[in-house]
């Protein structure tokens, strides 16, 4: 199979038929062997009914339906586990991504040897204040923190070599940082392509301003995981030892001062240095223990994307793992 197209969605019944027909026309024009995998992330409208009808008409259409809304990362994770195509394309279901971009994305992966190509919506049809400006700030911070030089981390239109999607775990809300996850997994040939962005035709956006707050928090998380995920003791242990040494140093100073210099002075417990010493040693011990526990956890526990599937359509592979 040449191409697998993974489309996570939530309450997009109006756009699904039009998007399907558009994709099929592109696939047929280029004679691709393909599959379209719709991931219904707990829609409350008729999205699943539309997907079922499309699957009955087109055997290349497949579907996975979640019991409830688990999030885009979990939807992509389920799709990545089920895909069979050599090149995997992800796109949103709101018709803001243009399927006409797929052939060039496919060629960049297959002929140019890229591991991942991320779309760049250079010209956007979104609110400047509420989406464009926060998005620019977010992408700048992501570039500086991760070292991955992309202009638009959060663009839904991306192309992957199949090895990439089978070699990474997308959980939490880490879908924004799939290029960073890919780089950390050893897939370093990451490129970018300017893609067309279209105004939303149906429905309303499913994301509010809170996604930028969550995005920055996730950015801190992925920075830490990238730097110290496999060696948390190197951070927490080092800070713990430093804090303990500072506290112990104050304790020695207070002891020497009381025994040899200021024998008749204030009690040690009446001096502020005592509390600095005590606090620093306690914090140092806690940080060291946090690093030790982190080391134990990283050696014994594997991260899993968590979601529960209620129905599937035409998904041949039952090997994708999930937990409720």
């Amino acid at each position: 199979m040449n191409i697998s197209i993974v489309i996570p969605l939530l309450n997009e019944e109006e756009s699904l038929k039009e998007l399907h027909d558009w994709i099929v026309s592109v696939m047929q024009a280029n004679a691709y062997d393909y599959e379209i995998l719709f991931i219904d992330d707990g829609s409350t409208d008729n999205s699943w009914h539309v997907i079922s009808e499309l699957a009955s008409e087109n055997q290349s259409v497949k579907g996975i339906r979640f019991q409830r809304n688990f999030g885009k990362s979990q939807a992509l994770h389920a799709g990545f586990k089920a895909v069979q195509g050599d090149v995997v394309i992800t796109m949103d279901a709101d018709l803001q991504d243009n399927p006409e971009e797929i052939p060039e994305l496919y060629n960049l992966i297959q002929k140019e040897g890229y591991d991942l190509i991320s779309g760049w919506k250079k010209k956007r049809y979104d609110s400047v204040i509420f989406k464009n400006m926060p998005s620019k700030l977010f992408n700048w911070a992501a570039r500086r923190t991760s070292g991955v030089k992309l202009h638009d981390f959060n663009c839904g239109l991306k192309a992957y070599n199949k090895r990439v999607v089978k070699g990474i775990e997308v959980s939490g809300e880490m879908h924004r940082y799939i290029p960073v996850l890919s780089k950390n997994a050893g897939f370093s040939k990451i490129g970018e392509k300017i893609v067309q962005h279209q105004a939303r035709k149906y429905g309303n956006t499913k994301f509010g301003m809170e996604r930028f707050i969550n995005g920055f928090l996730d950015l801190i998380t992925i920075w830490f995981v990238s730097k110290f995920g496999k060696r948390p003791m190197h951070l927490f242990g080092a800070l713990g030892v430093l804090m303990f040494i500072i506290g112990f140093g104050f304790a020695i100073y207070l002891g020497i001062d009381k025994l040899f210099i200021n024998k008749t002075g204030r009690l040690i417990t009446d001096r502020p240095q005592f509390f600095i010493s005590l606090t620093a040693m306690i914090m140092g011990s806690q940080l060291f223990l946090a690093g030790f526990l982190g080391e134990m956890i990283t050696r014994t526990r594997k991260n899993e994307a968590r979601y529960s599937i209620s129905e599937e359509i035409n998904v041949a592979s039952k090997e994708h793992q999930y937990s409720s």
Side-chain angles (χ1 to χ4, degrees), residues 44-249:
T44 56
D45 62 0
N46 290 320
S47 294
W48 185 249
H49 177 70
V50 175
I51 294 170
S52 301
E53 289 185 340
L54 293 174
S56 65
E57 299 169 3
N58 182 356
Q59 64 179 2
S60 296
V61 173
K62 305 175 182 181
I64 294 175
R65 186 186 189 187
F66 287 176
Q67 287 279 69
R68 62 171 178 83
N69 178 237
F70 285 92
K72 188 173 183 178
S73 292
Q74 282 67 29
L76 290 173
H77 183 272
F80 289 166
K81 292 301 180 183
V83 293
Q84 302 177 50
D86 295 330
V87 175
V88 180
I89 306 289
T90 60
M91 61 192 309
D92 295 333
D94 54 12
L95 294 174
Q96 290 190 282
D97 295 330
N98 189 342
E100 302 288 346
E101 307 279 0
I102 291 176
E104 189 170 348
L105 291 171
Y106 175 81
N107 290 334
L108 287 170
I109 299 294
Q110 286 292 79
K111 296 181 179 180
E112 301 295 330
Y114 282 94
D115 295 314
L116 186 156
I117 295 293
S118 180
W120 174 17
K121 298 174 182 177
K122 192 171 184 179
K123 182 179 180 181
R124 300 179 65 99
Y125 294 93
D126 292 322
S127 168
V128 174
I129 297 177
F130 294 105
K131 293 197 75 171
N132 286 4
M133 291 303 294
S135 181
K136 288 182 182 295
L137 178 61
F138 164 79
N139 285 309
W140 173 83
R143 283 194 300 273
R144 294 297 300 270
T145 304
S146 68
V148 179
K149 304 303 181 182
L150 297 178
H151 291 86
D152 192 355
F153 280 80
N154 205 33
C155 179
L157 185 58
K158 290 182 172 67
Y160 309 83
N161 187 296
K162 183 181 179 180
R163 296 181 299 110
V164 176
V165 301
K166 299 298 185 180
I168 62 174
E169 295 284 341
V170 187
S171 59
E173 293 190 24
M174 292 299 177
H175 58 274
R176 304 177 182 89
Y177 302 109
I178 290 179
V180 184
L181 297 175
S182 302
K183 177 189 174 185
N184 293 342
F187 303 104
S188 58
K189 193 168 184 182
I190 298 173
E192 188 172 46
K193 178 185 180 299
I194 296 175
V195 296
Q196 182 181 353
H197 182 235
Q198 302 175 134
R200 175 178 272 275
K201 189 173 182 180
Y202 304 105
N204 300 309
T205 181
K206 307 303 186 299
F207 302 99
M209 287 299 294
E210 70 276 1
R211 73 169 182 158
F212 294 106
I213 298 174
N214 295 338
F216 281 112
L217 294 176
D218 290 337
L219 183 59
I220 295 172
T221 300
I222 203 166
W223 171 82
F224 173 79
V225 171
S226 300
K227 296 288 185 180
F228 304 104
K230 295 182 179 179
R231 46 190 178 90
M233 180 60 87
H234 288 198
L235 175 65
F236 292 109
L239 290 175
V241 170
L242 177 62
M243 292 294 293
F244 191 88
I245 289 174
I246 291 172
F248 192 68

